[in-house]
């Protein structure tokens, strides 16, 4: 086996080898050609030519604390020199301290004791949560979930993710979730304000329990066929949709009335993306379980997990061996996660993120005034959305936003007389929403630069139509 000793291959040669030897099954080939990056720092990625790219999506919100964050990088280096590896059947200090920190914080906020269970990726943590739900509810395997929701691409997570394209090639999913409308204020029915819209959707959900003939409830024994409702407090892949503030409180009342668990998927919105440690905190409800991942380690080492209230996860109901992953609670990940939580405790991220988010949203609103194609802007903290439409300001315009992504990745925008690029991510039901998840450490100047580059990018993309 010959392994290259130094990184001497050109971009063209590397792309040719990638096309020959790498699977196309992942998401790399959503752009053509795929983009090669060489290094990263702060809010920027750099290609092999040294061109900076302002990143406004930060690895799908996995790098909340900026690329190459010195404090978190140092924590990883210290752990490598101390205890880099240990089998997951044994204990190490970092795992215990990290679990304790999360559980104590949850008990303080929600008033419920609970425990933390770790894994390596978001979808794997979702799988573990499904096992906990099934186990606690006597084997019930049916779940409620939202249209537009995304929980991962393992088989179990795909069953509660609404997009059929993630399941299509893998046979029949007999335990597929019942998908219900997520409150989407920009596209709500005419004549309703946001709060009325939220109340309307809660009432529609509650209607399912009125009689046995709606197919989910047996009134003779008082039992629902569905075990849990998997929610995203803000939809991620669905387009960073911010629901009416009254919606989840009303939904939780219905769930509690009929004995249905609420599982809050915080994989993309957790760790102060929205200005709270958990985005569900904005809505005044207490979930039964929280699933987390991504930004816990700032993208340095895969680590995910869940917090569940004690009744669901104590050793009597969820004993040793109930689930397992070779690399769960790995010492590199837990050490970085523990340092990240220390950092979050020492800094007022809530005030910082809400202030920066308000400034960014104000810039987007100003941009909207200058471009008729921006149908909607909204956000909570530094989870922001910019929905691209035709000139009518409502009809989805995927073609325009696709051009924007390609132009941004070409690195031919200009700032202070130099070339610069822009990294964006696209989501939404119609794949026309720019979902903005910048570093929580982004500066005001970088926010203003981002707005200016979006203006330049949108102008170029319209001219290229």
């Amino acid at each position: 086996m010959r392994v290259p000793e130094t990184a001497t291959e050109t971009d063209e040669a590397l792309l040719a080898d990638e096309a020959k030897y790498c699977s196309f099954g992942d998401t790399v080939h959503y752009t053509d050609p795929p983009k090669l990056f060489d290094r990263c720092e702060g809010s920027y990625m750099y290609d092999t030519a040294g061109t900076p790219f302002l990143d406004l999506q930060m690895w799908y919100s996995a790098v909340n604390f900026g690329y190459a964050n010195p404090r978190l990088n140092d924590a990883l280096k210290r752990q490598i020199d101390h205890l880099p590896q240990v089998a997951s059947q044994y204990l190490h200090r970092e795992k215990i301290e990290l679990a304790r920190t999360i559980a104590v914080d949850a008990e303080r906020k929600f008033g419920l004791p609970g425990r933390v269970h770790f894994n390596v990726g978001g979808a794997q943590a979702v799988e573990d949560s499904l096992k906990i739900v099934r186990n606690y509810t006597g084997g019930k395997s049916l779940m409620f979930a939202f249209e537009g929701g995304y929980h991962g691409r393992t088989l179990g997570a795909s069953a509660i993710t609404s997009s059929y394209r993630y399941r299509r090639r893998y046979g029949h999913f007999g335990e597929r979730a019942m998908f219900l409308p997520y409150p989407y204020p920009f596209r709500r029915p005419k004549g309703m304000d946001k709060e009325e819209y939220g109340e309307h959707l809660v009432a529609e959900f509650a209607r399912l329990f009125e009689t046995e003939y709606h197919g989910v409830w047996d009134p003779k024994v008082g039992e629902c066929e569905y075990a849990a409702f998997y929610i995203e407090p803000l939809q991620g892949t669905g387009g960073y949709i911010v629901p009416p503030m009254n919606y989840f409180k009303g939904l939780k009342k219905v769930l509690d009335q009929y004995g249905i668990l609420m599982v809050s998927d915080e994989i993309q919105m957790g760790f102060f993306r929205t200005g709270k440690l958990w985005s569900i905190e904005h809505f005044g409800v207490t979930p039964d379980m929280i699933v987390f991942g991504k930004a816990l380690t700032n993208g340095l080492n895969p680590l995910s997990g869940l917090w569940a209230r004690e009744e669901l996860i104590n050793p009597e109901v969820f004993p040793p061996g109930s689930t397992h992953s070779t690399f769960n609670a790995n010492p590199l990940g837990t050490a970085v996660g523990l340092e990240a939580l220390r950092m979050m405790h020492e800094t007022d991220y809530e005030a910082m993120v809400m202030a920066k988010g308000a400034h960014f949203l104000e810039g987007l609103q100003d941009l909207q005034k200058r471009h008729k194609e921006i149908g909607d802007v909204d956000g909570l903290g530094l989870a922001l959305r910019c929905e691209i439409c035709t000139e009518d300001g409502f009809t989805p315009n995927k073609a325009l936003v696709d051009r924007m992504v390609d132009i941004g990745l070409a690195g031919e925008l200009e700032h202070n007389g130099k070339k610069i690029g822009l990294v964006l991510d696209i989501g939404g039901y119609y794949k026309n929403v720019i979902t903005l998840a910048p570093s929580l450490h982004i500066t005001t100047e970088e926010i203003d630069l981002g707005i200016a580059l979006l203006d330049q990018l949108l102008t170029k993309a319209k001219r290229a139509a």
Side-chain angles (χ1 to χ4, degrees):
M1 178 183 291
R2 186 187 70 85
V3 180
E5 294 182 2
T6 57
T8 58
E9 294 91 343
T10 64
D11 284 7
E12 291 75 14
L14 285 169
L15 288 173
D17 284 347
E18 191 272 344
K20 184 175 182 180
Y21 298 116
C22 294
S23 165
F24 280 29
D26 206 343
T27 57
V28 172
H29 292 269
Y30 282 0
T31 58
D32 186 22
K35 183 65 185 179
L36 271 168
F37 285 108
D38 184 60
R39 65 184 183 91
C40 58
E41 183 178 7
S43 291
Y44 293 89
M45 301 283 289
Y46 296 83
D47 66 13
T48 53
T51 304
F53 288 72
L54 179 64
D55 193 338
L56 296 182
Q57 64 103 13
M58 299 305 287
W59 201 358
Y60 319 116
S61 192
V63 192
N64 284 7
F65 309 104
Y67 288 116
N69 182 292
R71 179 168 174 177
L72 300 180
N73 282 10
D74 286 344
L76 183 66
K77 294 170 187 176
R78 287 195 304 271
Q79 192 66 26
I80 286 177
D81 290 334
H82 176 65
L83 179 68
Q85 295 144 316
V86 63
S88 56
Q89 72 193 80
Y90 307 117
L91 288 172
H92 57 282
R93 179 182 62 83
E94 292 78 14
K95 170 186 176 177
I96 298 168
E97 292 188 356
L98 181 58
R100 180 184 65 200
T101 301
I102 293 170
V104 169
D105 179 78
E107 185 167 1
R108 179 179 62 83
K109 289 173 176 172
F110 303 125
L112 295 172
R115 297 170 187 258
V116 174
H117 182 94
F118 293 111
N119 211 311
V120 290
Q124 288 80 7
V126 168
E127 293 285 336
D128 287 342
S129 75
L130 287 165
K131 288 181 178 179
I132 290 172
V133 168
R134 286 184 176 209
N135 179 66
Y136 181 74
T137 59
K140 289 184 181 179
S141 59
L142 295 179
M143 312 293 159
F144 292 114
F146 281 121
E147 294 174 2
Y150 180 88
H151 301 286
R153 301 197 198 186
T154 55
L155 290 177
S158 293
I160 58 172
T161 293
S162 66
S163 298
Y164 172 52
R165 72 183 179 93
Y166 300 139
R167 294 185 296 274
R168 181 178 58 83
R169 294 182 303 279
Y170 308 116
H172 179 63
F173 282 65
E175 294 168 339
R176 197 201 76 164
M178 178 185 287
F179 298 108
L180 299 161
Y182 188 89
Y184 190 168
F186 178 57
R187 299 191 178 275
R188 68 183 182 270
K190 292 181 179 179
M192 290 185 185
D193 63 26
K194 287 185 179 181
E195 286 68 31
E196 290 171 336
Y197 178 44
E199 291 171 358
H200 167 73
L201 289 179
V202 169
E204 283 295 294
F205 178 63
R207 190 182 66 84
L208 296 177
F209 301 88
E210 288 180 356
T211 82
E212 64 183 274
Y213 298 105
H214 291 121
V216 303
W217 177 251
D218 182 352
K220 291 186 178 181
V221 297
E223 184 177 324
C224 182
E225 189 174 11
Y226 289 75
F229 202 138
Y230 276 73
I231 70 164
E232 291 172 279
L234 272 71
Q235 275 205 333
T237 302
Y240 280 31
I241 301 171
V242 183
M245 296 306 292
N246 63 337
Y247 175 73
F248 282 115
K249 189 169 287 187
L251 180 68
K252 187 62 163 61
K253 287 181 180 178
V254 178
L255 298 178
D256 287 346
Q257 182 178 352
Y258 297 105
I260 303 161
L261 301 174
M262 175 184 276
V263 182
S264 182
D265 183 335
E266 300 276 352
I267 293 167
Q268 191 163 165
M269 294 297 166
F271 305 107
F272 287 99
R273 170 55 56 198
T274 66
K276 300 279 190 184
L277 181 67
W278 311 122
S279 59
I280 193 64
E281 294 178 54
H282 290 282
F283 300 97
V285 300
T286 298
D288 297 288
M289 201 182 314
I290 292 171
V291 183
F292 54 83
K294 289 191 186 295
L296 175 58
T297 63
N298 206 41
L300 287 176
N301 202 73
L303 186 71
S304 65
L306 59 87
W307 168 88
R309 57 182 176 87
E310 181 73 3
E311 291 87 345
L312 278 66
I313 199 173
N314 72 75
E316 290 187 6
V317 298
F318 203 67
S322 295
T323 187
H324 178 76
S325 173
T326 300
F327 301 107
N328 69 18
N330 62 84
L332 297 179
T334 50
V336 176
L338 189 59
E339 189 67 19
L341 285 179
R342 290 193 188 106
M343 194 169 68
M344 290 178 238
H345 175 73
E346 295 167 10
T347 303
D348 189 352
Y349 274 92
E350 180 170 354
M352 181 180 76
V353 169
M354 296 308 287
K356 290 180 180 181
H359 182 71
F360 208 138
L361 184 58
E362 184 179 347
L364 291 173
Q365 290 167 339
D366 181 64
L367 196 63
Q368 186 181 27
K369 295 174 184 175
R370 289 181 277 126
H371 293 277
K372 294 182 289 185
E373 292 81 4
I374 299 178
D376 181 54
V377 297
D378 200 1
L380 187 59
L382 281 169
L384 301 140
R385 73 189 317 268
C386 180
E387 184 152 353
I388 304 299
C389 303
T390 61
E391 289 190 0
D392 66 9
F394 189 76
T395 304
N397 194 343
K398 182 179 183 297
L400 180 58
V401 83
D402 285 347
R403 286 196 296 276
M404 292 177 68
V405 170
D406 290 342
I407 294 170
L409 286 178
E412 298 290 337
L413 302 173
E414 293 185 2
H415 176 60
N416 290 337
K418 297 181 179 179
K419 290 182 179 181
I420 189 170
L422 191 62
V423 177
L424 301 174
D425 192 46
I426 305 304
Y429 292 45
Y430 307 97
K431 302 302 178 194
N432 69 316
V433 180
I434 300 172
T435 52
L436 298 160
S439 166
L440 305 187
H441 293 179
I442 192 171
T443 65
T444 300
E445 292 75 20
E446 288 169 341
I447 292 173
D448 293 340
L449 171 61
I451 295 296
L453 292 177
L454 283 168
D455 189 11
Q456 189 180 147
L457 188 60
L458 190 49
T459 299
K460 283 178 173 284
K462 288 192 288 186
R463 287 175 182 168

